[in-house]
Amino acid sequence: MKFLRKLPTADEIKEQYPLTEKMKQVKAERDAEIRDVFTGASQKLILIIGPCSADNKDAVMDYIGRLREVQEKVKDHILMIPRIYTNKPRTNGDGYKGMLHQPNPTEKPDMLKGIIAIRDLHLSALGQYDFSCADEMLYPENYLYLSDVLSYVAVGARSVENQQHRLTASGIYVPTGMKNPTEGDLAIMMNSIRAAQHSHTFIYNGWEAQTEGNPLAHAILRGYTDMSGKTLSNYHYEDLLNLIDLYEGSGLVNPGVIVDTNHANSGKHYLEQIRIAKDVMHSCHQNPEIKKLVKGLMIESYIEDGAQKIGECIYGKSITDPCLGWEKTETLIYELAELAAR
């Protein structure tokens, strides 16, 4: 292991790239509105929506600007949290690891440029479009670089069993979703939620840290892969009833779930997200307990349909998992708003 250079601390980066007073106010208001959904005080449907990976600032900001226009039209029933996913887990370690590693996907990794680029992107979304956004906590140590701008944090299927992810989540003050692991064991997911909701003392970034627990930690169902390698979904009516049963008697507060409409739930067939989203809404209409449990949907969406290889340079097209294009996304949001209003 070769140590290339000492990177700035999170406090140093925040001092160089600070929030304005207006941005702080907007984020506080959004945090309160989002919190109300997870505590049950609000019946709005949350959409955590956006590209699989944020690979290009211009395209991501273009996309978020479009979301802002639609958000104003559906604000009575839908609350959108744009996905700005700046670091990506790789199953075998190969491939694009996100803007944190490579601000330009065609150039070599540069972690300092990456730290600055991801903070700049989140600040731009907040400053220009009043959107505090979501990101995945792939590296617990790096969370502090964005802790003051994020309104939603996801812990991925490959990370949810990791002790450091669970304990760090217990010190996060915004909703934090714990995905079911790739093999689908919901007991592991429920244990991660329990750990995140409890207080802990542990080592974090060279400090002895103490947390109070995160009462907004919750489940994300994303499907799974069985021992034979077959992808299976877990968003159906019966799956949601099963999750209700797991929550009951668990001692966990604010039971809730975000349903991931892509990944193993769709078998990575991105167009299936449209059907899956509507299926979940139908389940909510059939059972008031399911409606109470489901807080929202996670949708992978960008400007262009599908995905491309790095270097093809098609504006607004994913270079990781395939995404819904904008036209289909806009139509789906309006349809979900109508369903949420029922």
Side-chain angles (χ1 to χ4, degrees):
M1 188 178 294
K2 182 179 180 181
F3 294 92
L4 301 179
R5 58 183 166 183
K6 180 73 173 177
L7 294 171
T9 66
D11 285 341
E12 290 169 339
I13 290 293
K14 288 174 177 176
E15 185 176 350
Q16 294 177 46
Y17 303 92
L19 277 71
T20 65
E21 291 303 315
K22 180 185 176 183
M23 292 160 72
K24 293 177 182 177
Q25 179 181 351
V26 168
K27 181 174 185 303
E29 291 171 354
R30 277 181 56 79
D31 285 351
E33 190 175 10
I34 294 166
R35 173 182 287 271
D36 282 348
V37 175
F38 282 94
T39 61
S42 168
Q43 301 305 309
K44 289 185 180 180
L45 179 73
I46 284 178
L47 294 185
I48 302 166
I49 186 167
C52 174
S53 58
D55 58 338
N56 177 285
K57 180 181 178 180
D58 290 341
V60 171
M61 290 299 292
D62 181 351
Y63 175 88
I64 291 176
R66 300 180 191 202
L67 277 188
R68 171 46 66 191
E69 292 184 9
V70 177
Q71 172 67 96
E72 294 308 308
K73 298 176 183 178
V74 299
K75 61 184 179 182
D76 290 341
H77 304 291
I78 284 182
L79 179 56
M80 286 193 272
I81 309 175
R83 287 171 52 107
I84 299 184
Y85 276 34
T86 57
N87 41 167
K88 296 298 296 179
R90 312 311 304 180
T91 302
N92 61 11
D94 295 332
Y96 179 61
K97 296 182 178 67
M99 185 178 285
L100 174 64
H101 288 259
Q102 292 173 274
N104 185 329
T106 63
E107 296 179 357
K108 293 182 179 180
D110 188 318
M111 302 302 292
L112 178 56
K113 287 184 179 179
I115 289 169
I116 294 170
I118 67 173
R119 185 163 177 84
D120 172 68
L121 183 51
H122 276 280
L123 286 175
S124 296
L126 183 56
Q128 294 182 37
Y129 294 115
D130 291 345
F131 269 137
S132 49
C133 299
D135 205 342
E136 180 173 346
M137 187 174 66
L138 185 57
Y139 309 109
E141 297 83 0
N142 296 342
Y143 165 71
L144 291 179
Y145 287 110
L146 298 175
S147 61
D148 57 340
V149 294
L150 296 178
S151 280
Y152 187 90
V153 176
V155 175
R158 300 168 186 83
S159 303
V160 74
E161 291 188 69
N162 180 267
Q163 183 82 338
Q164 194 73 356
H165 282 82
R166 292 178 172 190
L167 301 189
T168 303
S170 74
I172 294 175
Y173 60 92
V174 297
T176 302
M178 316 299 279
K179 286 196 173 186
N180 66 259
T182 53
E183 73 277 13
D185 188 344
L186 296 190
I188 290 173
M189 179 187 71
M190 299 304 290
N191 285 336
S192 74
I193 298 170
R194 178 182 299 277
Q197 288 197 1
H198 288 179
S199 61
H200 301 279
T201 300
F202 60 104
I203 297 173
Y204 184 72
N205 277 355
W207 287 80
E208 180 182 8
Q210 187 177 57
T211 63
E212 296 181 357
N214 181 353
L216 302 181
H218 59 276
I220 301 177
L221 295 180
R222 49 87 72 196
Y224 60 100
T225 304
D226 68 14
M227 294 182 66
S228 66
K230 182 181 179 181
T231 57
L232 299 169
S233 58
N234 59 8
Y235 64 85
H236 297 287
Y237 186 91
E238 294 78 12
D239 297 305
L240 297 171
L241 287 179
N242 179 50
L243 184 56
I244 291 172
D245 289 341
L246 291 175
Y247 264 118
E248 288 183 356
S250 68
L252 298 172
V253 298
N254 300 318
V257 65
I258 296 289
V259 176
D260 183 342
T261 62
N262 212 10
H263 297 100
N265 268 335
S266 69
K268 291 195 175 181
H269 297 295
Y270 70 96
L271 293 175
E272 288 293 293
Q273 294 185 98
I274 298 171
R275 179 189 59 79
I276 292 167
K278 294 177 182 178
D279 189 284
V280 173
M281 297 303 294
H282 179 70
S283 295
C284 291
H285 292 147
Q286 296 301 309
N287 189 314
E289 292 302 311
I290 290 178
K291 184 174 183 180
K292 184 178 179 181
L293 176 76
V294 174
K295 304 303 180 182
L297 304 167
M298 186 174 285
I299 299 170
E300 291 194 323
S301 156
Y302 211 176
I303 295 171
E304 298 294 334
D305 279 326
Q308 63 181 320
K309 294 180 180 179
I310 294 175
E312 290 187 31
C313 300
I314 300 173
Y315 179 80
K317 193 170 188 176
S318 175
I319 61 172
T320 45
D321 288 350
C323 297
L324 285 178
W326 176 252
E327 290 184 5
K328 295 181 180 68
T329 297
E330 185 175 19
T331 299
L332 177 59
I333 294 171
Y334 290 135
E335 290 175 342
L336 291 175
E338 291 180 3
L339 292 171
R342 293 180 184 175

